């Protein structure tokens, strides 16, 4: 076991602050990574403030962060795919049982015994896993990903959650040329959804509550932008969408979006607001519409997404911040004021 610097929160109402956490010495199968950048996902904020207490209560202290890129510093004797000096990435998962039907199909994100990167039982050290707001992490080779060499690292980090969480459902629901696709909420996930839907050739409409984001939405690849608080603008799209991805982090009216789906259209929730959403039965009955959800993506698909990003030169638009600004960044996230992902430069933690 060794110690590494990190930022943790001691309770749901405490700010994140500097600390030291234990990491295991790499086993035969492990890769040790020096973390260079870690994205800030809204899920970090939900977890730090225990907003998901009814589903996955937070165990304190918590070290969040699951959008990790870095450089390999050490590998175990059985590791074949990585060597010291390689770039490597880690997303939301660090382990699973490997034997259940989900794992066998490469859908580790649905494994009943999965280990999340933070706030999951730590099989090696006891206690809970600690995430990427730290200088170093040790992860089983099976959960380490390769970063295409052409991608800028600060913008590549958010691909590990915001990227795969939007890529996976759009692949699943057949987003492609000829499809009309809506993206609700232009935050970290939403802006990646726009980039992917555009790259897949779909007609992309962004729904935003922030009129100031309109120009950016068009630049990111949207064909149209709707200010969702304007009911006349919304009505113009009634019954016309094949697929809508809802990436909103707070309570909102999803019936307004269900009514925009065409026959057999699907709305997939990736946003995970703390409060249950009210769904009108008629919004689904009429037009045989469906409402579904999606959770990140499996390891193979995450690698596929990273390779797709390498081939199409896709990264997140990031505001790079030092770790000392993390609490300020959380307050801005709550105001939907981020363009469009915060990426923490982990070199800033070394000076603490
Ligand atoms: N399913 C999964 O696997 C998965 C993975 C990662 C994250 N998530 C969840 O996805 C959600 C989004 O994450 P994120 O990191 O993209 O968050 P984010 O960067 O904060 O973006 C959320 C966006 O939602 C919109 N929004 C915020 N408050 C709103 C309100 N009251 N009414 C309507 N729209 C509102 C804003 O967009 P506009 O300004 O454009 O309106 C905001 O930028 C979070 O709940 C997160 O936990 C789920
Ligand atoms: Zn996330
Ligand atoms: Zn499994």
């Amino acid at each position: 076991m060794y110690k590494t610097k990190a930022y943790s929160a001691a309770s749901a109402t405490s700010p994140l602050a500097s600390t030291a956490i234990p990491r295991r010495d790499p086993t035969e199968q492990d890769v040790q990574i020096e973390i260079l950048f870690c994205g800030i996902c809204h899920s970090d904020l939900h977890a730090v403030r225990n907003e998901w207490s009814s589903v996955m209560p937070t165990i304190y202290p918590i070290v969040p962060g699951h959008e990790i890129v870095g450089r390999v510093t050490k590998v175990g004797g059985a590791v074949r795919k990585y060597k010291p000096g390689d770039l490597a990435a880690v997303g939301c998962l660090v382990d699973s049982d490997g034997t259940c039907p989900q794992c066998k199909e490469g859908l580790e994100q649905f494994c009943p015994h999965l280990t999340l990167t933070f706030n999951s039982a730590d099989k090696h050290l006891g206690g809970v896993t600690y995430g990427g707001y730290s200088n170093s992490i040790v992860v089983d080779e099976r959960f380490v990903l390769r970063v295409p060499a052409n991608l800028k690292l600060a913008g590549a980090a958010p691909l590990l959650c915001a990227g795969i969480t939007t890529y996976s459902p759009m692949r699943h629901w057949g987003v492609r040329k000829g499809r009309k696709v809506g993206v609700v909420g232009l935050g970290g996930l939403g802006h990646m959804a726009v980039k992917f839907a555009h790259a897949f050739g779909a007609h992309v409409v962004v729904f935003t509550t922030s009129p100031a984001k309109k120009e950016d939405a068009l630049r990111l690849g949207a064909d149209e932008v709707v200010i969702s608080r304007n009911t006349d603008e919304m009505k113009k799209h009634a019954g016309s969408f094949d697929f809508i991805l809802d990436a909103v982090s707070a309570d909102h009216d999803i019936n307004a979006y269900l009514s925009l789906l065409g026959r057999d259209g699907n709305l997939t929730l990736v946003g995970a607001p703390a409060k249950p959403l009210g769904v009108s039965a008629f919004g689904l009955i009429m037009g045989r519409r469906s409402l579904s959800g999606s959770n990140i993506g499996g390891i193979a698909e995450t690698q596929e997404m990273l390779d797709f990003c390498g081939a199409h030169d896709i990264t997140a638009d990031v505001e790079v911040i030092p770790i000392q600004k993390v609490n300020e960044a959380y307050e801005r996230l709550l105001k939907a004021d981020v363009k469009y992902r915060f990426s923490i430069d982990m070199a800033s933690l070394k000076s603490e």
Side-chain angles (χ1 to χ4, degrees):
M1 201 181 80
Y2 66 101
K3 290 251 177 181
T4 188
K5 289 180 178 175
Y7 256 52
S8 74
S11 77
T13 51
S14 313
L16 288 149
S18 183
T19 188
I21 54 164
R23 295 291 192 195
R24 66 180 182 265
D25 291 319
T27 67
E28 284 288 282
Q29 287 78 33
D30 281 338
V31 178
Q32 183 193 54
I33 298 165
E34 179 197 4
I35 301 175
L36 299 176
F37 291 94
C38 183
I40 298 182
C41 178
H42 206 114
S43 302
D44 299 350
L45 190 158
H46 288 306
V48 163
R49 302 198 176 171
N50 204 11
E51 290 171 0
W52 291 336
S53 57
S54 59
V55 195
M56 40 170 98
T58 302
I59 294 159
Y60 295 93
I62 177 175
V63 177
H66 56 204
E67 296 185 332
I68 298 166
V69 295
R71 206 167 277 287
V72 175
T73 41
K74 203 190 262 184
V75 297
V79 170
R80 291 287 164 263
K81 290 193 293 190
Y82 300 92
K83 58 178 190 320
D86 285 352
L87 288 176
V90 179
C92 306
L93 303 173
V94 290
D95 207 353
S96 71
D97 60 21
T99 54
C100 76
Q102 318 296 341
C103 287
K104 284 192 172 145
E105 282 192 54
L107 299 169
E108 298 89 354
Q109 74 272 32
F110 304 123
C111 175
H113 304 115
L114 60 78
T115 307
L116 295 168
T117 305
F118 61 83
N119 199 42
S120 265
D122 186 329
K123 284 194 237 167
H124 298 263
L125 294 181
V128 288
T129 51
Y130 294 132
Y133 295 8
S134 62
N135 277 142
S136 171
I137 192 166
V138 177
V139 178
D140 186 304
E141 175 183 29
R142 294 178 300 130
F143 290 83
V144 178
L145 295 135
R146 223 167 245 301
V147 186
N150 58 316
L151 298 182
K152 287 225 170 74
L153 290 185
L159 300 177
L160 277 299
C161 178
I164 185 60
T165 302
T166 51
Y167 180 95
S168 180
M170 289 200 281
R171 283 298 200 209
H172 180 78
W173 289 96
V175 168
R176 57 181 178 271
K177 195 169 165 52
R179 296 286 161 107
K180 185 172 173 184
V181 170
V183 174
V184 188
L186 198 64
L189 266 58
H191 97 291
M192 288 311 308
V194 173
K195 291 188 184 206
F196 287 132
H198 177 72
F200 298 162
H203 181 87
V204 188
V205 183
V206 165
F207 295 93
T208 179
T209 59
S210 310
K213 292 181 182 173
K214 190 168 180 176
E215 291 310 313
D216 282 342
L218 295 169
R219 175 180 56 78
L220 292 164
D223 297 286
E224 297 179 63
V225 183
V226 172
I227 307 304
S228 52
R229 295 203 165 112
N230 181 327
T231 40
D232 289 338
E233 268 190 64
M234 292 286 280
K235 270 190 200 144
K236 281 188 205 151
H237 292 272
S240 68
F241 281 87
D242 298 295
F243 178 75
I244 297 177
L245 192 77
D246 184 329
V248 174
S249 52
D251 192 25
H252 62 293
D253 176 19
I254 61 163
N255 299 305
Y257 297 100
L258 289 174
S259 69
L260 304 187
L261 292 172
R263 197 200 70 211
D264 292 320
N266 169 268
L267 186 151
T268 292
L269 282 176
V270 284
K275 250 179 72 184
L277 299 163
V279 178
S280 150
F282 284 94
L284 294 173
I285 291 169
M286 302 311 289
R288 201 165 52 194
R289 296 158 173 151
S290 65
L291 170 63
S292 59
S294 191
N295 181 32
I296 48 174
I299 294 300
E301 195 177 38
T302 304
Q303 190 62 63
E304 175 193 308
M305 177 274 310
L306 285 167
D307 295 343
F308 181 89
C309 289
H312 294 84
D313 207 14
I314 292 174
T315 50
D317 286 28
V318 287
E319 292 189 41
V320 177
I321 59 162
I323 187 90
Q324 292 78 10
K325 295 240 181 219
V326 68
N327 294 302
E328 208 176 291
Y330 275 28
E331 292 312 310
R332 285 185 51 199
L333 260 194
L334 284 174
K335 290 189 233 149
D337 173 26
V338 49
K339 294 202 164 144
Y340 277 86
R341 198 59 145 185
F342 292 111
S343 185
I344 307 169
D345 181 349
M346 279 304 160
S348 59
L349 182 55
K350 293 192 171 159
S351 61
E352 291 263 339

